[in-house]
Amino acid sequence: MEKITKEEAIKGAFFGAIVGDALCLGSHYEYDAQKIHAAYGHKSIEKFMSPGEMMGGQTHGIGWGERNYHPGKKAGGTTDYGDYNILVLEHLAAIAEPPRAFEVAAMLPHWMNRLENGWGSWICTMTKETYAQVRRGVEVAQLGGISNAMAIRHIAGHAYYEDEETLADLARKTMFTHKDQHALGGGEFFARVTHRVINGAAPAEAIEDVAVQMGGFFESKSAQAIAKAREAMDENSALFKEPFADDLALTSMARLWDVGRSEPIKVGKASPTEGTLPGAIYFILKYAQHKEGLKKALQANAMVGGDNASRAIAIGMVLGAFKGVSAIPREWRESLEQWEYCEGLLNRLPLLKEETA
């Protein structure tokens, strides 16, 4: 593989995540992979789509019902996962000189303003709860709710901070709407992995090392994903021969969650970190060595459905850092709604500013 510059890796991490998220807008929260496949003409997605496009304008979010989850968005736009990363980018660009420590309190007014003025995307329960807490005057240290959903929002920080521990702290702080340690740890996990890939490590090496470093839940879920990726790539395995192998792989890595709804949630495809973390690792490892690995991984992830946008952020940032920004297909670069806007903001951040000076 051709060596890429650190600047290309940083931009690849950010835009890989945002493009991956936008690619999921049309199928976000649709849990039936076969329905997505049929709706998209029995082939992988090639272009950005509006919410529920080709599926009747709605997706089937188990437990939340059939609906349009992103009513203010159109093809080329982002889900709430992408929106949060753009929001953090805006904040970091506003405090770019001189580089300073990240404080949640300093970003809250901007966050409130964005939520109150045409957010357009799904507003998750934790965001609603935290918004209400801020309005009541709850202290910043006490903000957030108990959700185990992984919500990575710190990617722009890789263009702002050079220190891994600072980035790990940023990953947790930007998830201020969450208190669950698995969710917060998921953000830290991918912050550490992405930082190491930007600085020259291969994804598999970075994932294995960070898994050992963080231990416990993160080590066991990483090991599970590593084994599943190997199984899916083994031409002699039953999984390899399955037409919906990725769908089966993800659902096999977490429990069914029957909580009294019309049907059980397939947690391997849903928002909880116990599914999103190994699911993202699975796609990263399966496609890392492919020539078009970033594109292929983001396509495959979108086609599985569920909370594919959450996984897309992690997949896109790691493989984007590994492959570089030029690995993103030209047609996606040109049709992503906020590419130029985000690039202008990124170029104001300390680690990219010299490149454009």
Side-chain angles (χ1 to χ4, degrees):
M1 185 179 136
E2 204 173 305
K3 188 167 176 60
I4 60 171
T5 66
K6 188 170 181 177
E7 290 77 13
E8 289 171 325
I10 291 170
K11 285 190 175 181
F14 184 84
F15 282 114
I18 299 300
V19 162
D21 173 74
L23 206 63
C24 294
L25 183 66
S27 59
H28 195 207
Y29 295 133
E30 174 53 60
Y31 276 79
D32 188 340
Q34 295 189 40
K35 177 183 173 182
I36 297 170
H37 191 250
Y40 291 176
H42 301 281
K43 61 182 186 297
S44 292
I45 187 170
E46 289 284 350
K47 64 177 184 177
F48 299 132
M49 295 191 190
S50 59
E53 185 175 337
M54 303 181 79
M55 290 186 286
Q58 298 180 320
T59 49
H60 186 198
I62 309 279
W64 301 103
E66 194 105 10
R67 62 193 292 180
N68 178 350
Y69 285 86
H70 305 286
K73 294 305 180 84
K74 60 185 180 183
T78 45
T79 79
D80 48 312
Y81 292 102
D83 291 345
Y84 259 110
N85 278 288
I86 294 171
L87 184 148
V88 172
L89 168 61
E90 290 169 340
H91 178 69
L92 291 177
I95 62 168
E97 291 294 340
R100 63 189 75 170
F102 179 85
E103 295 178 8
V104 174
M107 192 178 74
L108 286 180
H110 179 49
W111 174 73
M112 298 281 282
N113 182 57
R114 284 288 301 274
L115 284 175
E116 293 165 356
N117 293 282
W119 182 250
S121 294
W122 171 250
I123 300 178
C124 69
T125 305
M126 292 302 98
T127 295
K128 290 177 182 176
E129 185 173 328
T130 306
Y131 177 85
Q133 290 171 344
V134 174
R135 293 294 297 266
R136 292 199 308 270
V138 173
E139 291 183 15
V140 171
Q142 303 303 317
L143 292 176
I146 305 300
S147 170
N148 56 8
M150 191 175 76
I152 296 170
R153 302 166 178 166
H154 71 276
I155 310 172
H158 291 282
Y160 197 90
Y161 300 111
E162 291 193 79
D163 175 66
E164 182 176 317
E165 296 308 317
T166 304
L167 285 161
D169 180 62
L170 176 70
R172 287 175 171 268
K173 284 180 175 174
T174 51
M175 289 175 62
F176 61 93
T177 56
H178 291 58
K179 291 180 178 178
D180 181 85
Q181 290 306 306
H182 288 171
L184 294 170
E188 175 185 340
F189 181 93
F190 285 108
R192 292 184 183 279
V193 169
T194 302
H195 174 74
R196 296 181 192 197
V197 173
I198 286 171
N199 287 283
E205 172 195 1
I207 286 167
E208 290 178 16
D209 289 349
V210 172
V212 171
Q213 178 182 341
M214 292 185 68
F217 170 87
F218 302 97
E219 188 171 11
S220 66
K221 296 306 286 187
S222 297
Q224 183 184 32
I226 291 166
K228 189 61 64 174
R230 286 175 180 157
E231 181 186 352
M233 292 186 284
D234 179 0
E235 295 182 8
N236 296 313
S237 72
L239 182 61
F240 180 88
K241 300 178 177 74
E242 288 284 348
F244 290 89
D246 292 336
D247 184 57
L248 289 170
L250 263 66
T251 55
S252 72
M253 287 194 287
R255 66 210 156 98
L256 287 178
W257 189 11
D258 190 354
V259 287
R261 296 180 171 92
S262 58
E263 53 192 302
I265 294 175
K266 296 176 179 178
V267 175
K269 295 167 63 168
S271 306
T273 306
E274 68 180 271
T276 51
L277 185 138
I281 292 172
Y282 167 86
F283 282 113
I284 290 165
L285 296 178
K286 184 175 178 181
Y287 292 98
Q289 299 307 320
H290 193 286
K291 185 179 178 182
E292 293 186 294
L294 177 61
K295 176 185 177 182
K296 297 290 186 185
L298 295 179
Q299 286 176 312
N301 171 65
M303 297 301 291
V304 166
D307 196 354
N308 48 9
S310 176
R311 299 190 304 266
I313 297 293
I315 298 163
M317 65 191 286
V318 175
L319 288 182
F322 185 51
K323 301 286 188 179
V325 68
S326 62
I328 298 172
R330 179 175 55 82
E331 59 270 25
W332 294 354
R333 296 199 299 268
E334 292 177 351
S335 55
L336 184 74
E337 200 173 70
Q338 298 192 77
W339 184 288
E340 290 184 5
Y341 172 68
C342 290
E343 188 166 43
L345 294 176
L346 275 173
N347 287 337
R348 289 163 54 182
L349 300 187
L351 302 188
L352 293 178
K353 193 167 185 182
E354 288 183 12
E355 180 196 13
T356 56

